[in-house]
Amino acid sequence: MTEYVPKERLARALRGEQIDRMPAISVTQTGTVEQMEACGAFWPEANNDAKKMAALAEAGHTVVGFEAVRVPFDITAEAEFFGCEIKEGTKEQQPSVVGHVVKSVEDIEKLKGYNLDYGRIGVVCEAIKLLADKYGDKLPIMGSMIGPFSLAQHINGDDWFMAIFTDESFGLALMEFTTEFNVAYAKKMVENGADTMVIIDPTASAQLIGAEFYEKFVVPYHKIICDVMHELNVPVVLHICGDTTQGLALMESSGVDAISIDQNVDVETAVSKVKKAIIVGNLDPVNMLWNQTPEKIREQSQKIIDAGVGLLAPGCGIVSKTPTVNLQAMIEVARNHKY
C-alpha cells in the first residue's frame, strides 16, 4: 500500500478514503508546559505573538510527534476582537472571557465593519502563514476557531441561553453576525495556508439547548461555514463538549467531515449514530492523558481504536501539564494502527 505523507494521509482520512495507517493528530489545543520549555515560547505571550505561537505549535510536531500543526491554543481571541473583556491566562492556564458587549440588535450593528488584520485574529493568521511556509508541503496546517453559537454566548454573556428561547429575532441576528465573521475568519486562515478547519463550539450542545433549538440556531450556521470551506477543498472538524451522543446525527447534518467527541461519549455508539462523518477522539485529557501512565494510555488508546474510532485523539483540549511521554504513548498507538 502507498505510504502517504502526513498532509495527504489526514486529507484522505477526512474524506473517508483508504490510507496506509492512522494519522497521529490532535484536533483540539496542543500546547503544554513541557513544549513551552523545549521551544522557549510560553503562554500567555504565545497567544499574542505570531512567531511564538508558531513556535509552540511547531513543538507539537517536533517535540511531541503530532503529524500536524495547529493554532491557536484558546477560544477567546474572537471575543476579544469584538471588545469583550478577557482575563489573561498564565503559563499553565488559558485566558477566559469575563465581559460582554452585546445586549441588543443595535449593539450588533456597532460591531460590523471589522478588519481581520488586527488583534489576535491577525496574529493567528500570521502564525498560520509562518507554519504553512515551513511545513505546508508535508504537514496538515490546522486552523481552529470558536464556533458561531459559542461566540454569540461570549459576546452576549449568560443571557444568551435565555435569549434564544425568548427573543428569536435577536438570537438569529446574532447568529447571522457571528457566522458571517466565522466565514470571513476561516477564509482568511485558508488564504494564509490552513488546509483543515476545526470548529470548537463547546456550548452548542443539543443536550444543553434541545434538538429543536439546535436545529434552528446551530445546524444552518455550521452548514454555511462547511459549504464555504468545501468550496475551498478544506475539510471541517466539529468539536462540541459534553455527552453529544443524542445530537450526533444533527451535528453531521451540517455537512462536517469529522466530529470530535469527548470522553463522555461511547465510541461504538457514536460511530453507529453517523453515516459518513469520521469520529475523532476520545482519550480523557485529565484522567487519562494527564494523570495516567504511558502503559495505561496505550491500553486505553487501543480500546478506543478497537471500538471503531476513525482518528485517535484527545477528547478535549490537552491539559497544559500533560507529560510529553503520555502524549507520545497515544501517538505511538495511532501510528501503529494499519488499515
Side-chain angles (χ1 to χ4, degrees):
M1 181 180 289
T2 302
E3 183 176 342
Y4 297 99
V5 297
K7 186 184 186 77
E8 179 64 13
R9 182 180 292 117
L10 180 61
R12 290 180 65 89
L14 292 174
R15 291 194 298 263
E17 298 175 359
Q18 189 173 23
I19 49 177
D20 52 341
R21 64 166 175 82
M22 183 175 285
I25 53 96
S26 172
V27 300
T28 52
Q29 96 80 20
T30 60
T32 64
V33 173
E34 287 186 9
Q35 291 175 60
M36 296 176 205
E37 292 170 344
C39 71
F42 295 84
W43 294 344
E45 293 82 10
N47 293 324
N48 301 288
D49 180 285
K51 290 182 179 178
K52 292 180 179 179
M53 183 181 292
L56 183 54
E58 181 181 18
H61 171 62
T62 59
V63 175
V64 177
F66 285 123
E67 298 176 318
V69 288
R70 180 199 184 281
V71 292
F73 310 106
D74 72 298
I75 54 171
T76 67
E78 298 87 350
E80 182 180 23
F81 179 75
F82 288 114
C84 292
E85 183 183 355
I86 305 296
K87 179 182 178 182
E88 187 174 52
T90 66
K91 184 175 77 171
E92 297 177 353
Q93 189 173 31
Q94 295 176 333
S96 57
V97 178
V98 295
H100 317 286
V101 295
V102 165
K103 293 294 182 185
S104 65
V105 173
E106 290 73 25
D107 291 336
I108 298 172
E109 291 298 318
K110 296 174 185 176
L111 299 180
K112 295 182 178 179
Y114 46 80
N115 186 331
L116 294 174
D117 292 331
Y118 294 99
R120 279 204 286 147
I121 299 303
V123 169
V124 171
C125 291
E126 184 181 347
I128 287 173
K129 180 69 163 60
L130 293 170
L131 292 165
D133 286 347
K134 188 169 185 177
Y135 291 107
D137 60 335
K138 59 182 180 179
L139 290 182
I141 311 295
M142 292 186 181
S144 177
M145 60 184 179
I146 194 170
F149 188 88
S150 299
L151 178 55
Q153 189 261 321
H154 274 178
I155 291 174
N156 186 228
D158 289 339
D159 291 345
W160 174 240
F161 298 104
M162 183 59 68
I164 65 170
F165 291 106
T166 62
D167 193 347
E168 181 176 300
S169 60
F170 168 74
L172 293 175
L174 188 50
M175 283 302 302
E176 289 171 5
F177 172 77
T178 55
T179 303
E180 287 172 3
F181 165 79
N182 277 126
V183 167
Y185 185 22
K187 289 172 70 174
K188 187 171 178 65
M189 284 193 273
V190 173
E191 289 168 5
N192 279 270
D195 53 51
T196 307
M197 191 58 53
V198 182
I199 300 173
I200 308 289
D201 217 344
T203 59
S205 170
Q207 183 187 37
L208 183 65
I209 64 174
E212 179 184 348
F213 283 88
Y214 186 92
E215 196 162 10
K216 179 180 291 185
F217 283 92
V218 181
V219 172
Y221 303 100
H222 284 174
K223 186 176 188 305
I224 289 170
I225 299 168
C226 288
D227 287 348
V228 172
M229 289 295 96
H230 290 160
E231 287 175 5
L232 299 173
N233 198 31
V234 173
V236 179
V237 183
L238 173 62
H239 178 84
I240 294 175
C241 298
D243 185 354
T244 54
T245 305
Q246 298 308 314
L248 287 167
L250 276 173
M251 292 165 68
E252 184 181 30
S253 71
S254 65
V256 295
D257 302 278
I259 297 173
S260 169
I261 57 172
D262 86 4
Q263 59 276 7
N264 295 305
V265 180
D266 177 73
V267 170
E268 189 173 358
T269 303
V271 172
S272 74
K273 295 280 187 180
V274 297
K275 296 178 181 178
K276 292 177 62 179
I278 305 300
I279 296 297
V280 183
N282 66 338
L283 271 171
D284 190 320
V286 176
N287 297 318
M288 186 57 59
L289 285 171
W290 178 21
N291 286 317
Q292 278 294 350
T293 64
E295 182 181 357
K296 288 285 188 181
I297 291 165
R298 290 187 194 96
E299 180 182 318
Q300 183 63 23
S301 294
Q302 191 59 53
K303 287 181 179 179
I304 291 170
I305 288 177
D306 292 343
V309 80
L311 292 171
L312 178 68
C316 198
I318 295 168
V319 178
S320 64
K321 292 184 179 181
T322 302
T324 295
V325 292
N326 285 6
L327 295 173
Q328 289 172 334
M330 175 185 68
I331 287 170
E332 177 188 331
V333 176
R335 289 173 60 95
N336 287 335
H337 183 64
K338 310 292 185 182
Y339 291 101

